[in-house]
Amino acid sequence: MNTADTNTAGTVNDIEGFLLWEAEKRTAHSRARAFGSRMPWLTDSQRQEVERLYAQDHLDASRGFLERVAARGGELRAEYEHRYRALRCRLLAAALFGAAAVAAVAAVAAVAMVVTVP
């Protein structure tokens, strides 16, 4: 993947993240309004404050959840990259061992042919 592709992918991820967060904010405010509407005894200013606090609490919880998910995703990525490197090393070692075995068998066969030819 070249630098332009990486930049494009990063930009697309940023846009997607922005749109998802905006949707989460809309959901939080919508749920806050629904919560506030269940308390008809509140004054308008009290309802607005309750809705603001509810929405902020919802967004704080969402942000915390997303940060935990992102951290875990980074941990998993590092773990799988480590395993992938280890598997590549094992595969390379097996290929080199196989090539050495084939070369050894070929050498033994060549020596055997030289020794048996009068």
Side-chain angles (χ1 to χ4, degrees):
M1 189 181 260
N2 65 29
T3 305
D5 291 341
T6 303
N7 289 341
T8 302
T11 301
V12 169
N13 286 339
D14 289 345
I15 292 170
E16 182 183 21
F18 172 79
L19 293 173
L20 289 171
W21 186 248
E22 288 300 310
E24 186 65 23
K25 286 177 13 182
R26 280 192 304 276
T27 300
H29 291 291
S30 174
R31 291 184 66 177
R33 281 189 299 279
F35 182 73
S37 70
R38 289 185 285 179
M39 294 179 261
W41 60 87
L42 295 175
T43 65
D44 287 342
S45 62
Q46 289 172 329
R47 182 174 293 105
Q48 288 173 356
E49 182 65 10
V50 166
E51 290 175 5
R52 185 188 67 75
L53 292 171
Y54 185 96
Q56 188 59 51
D57 184 61
H58 181 93
L59 292 173
D60 290 345
S62 294
R63 184 177 300 277
F65 174 74
L66 290 173
E67 287 172 352
R68 287 189 301 277
V69 167
R72 182 63 181 142
E75 292 169 1
L76 288 173
R77 181 182 183 112
E79 182 180 329
Y80 285 122
E81 285 176 350
H82 174 73
R83 287 185 183 184
Y84 179 72
R85 279 192 301 275
L87 286 172
R88 278 191 1 213
C89 288
R90 286 174 49 193
L91 179 61
L92 178 61
L96 291 175
F97 178 76
V102 167
V105 168
V108 169
V111 168
M113 290 179 75
V114 169
V115 171
T116 58
V117 174

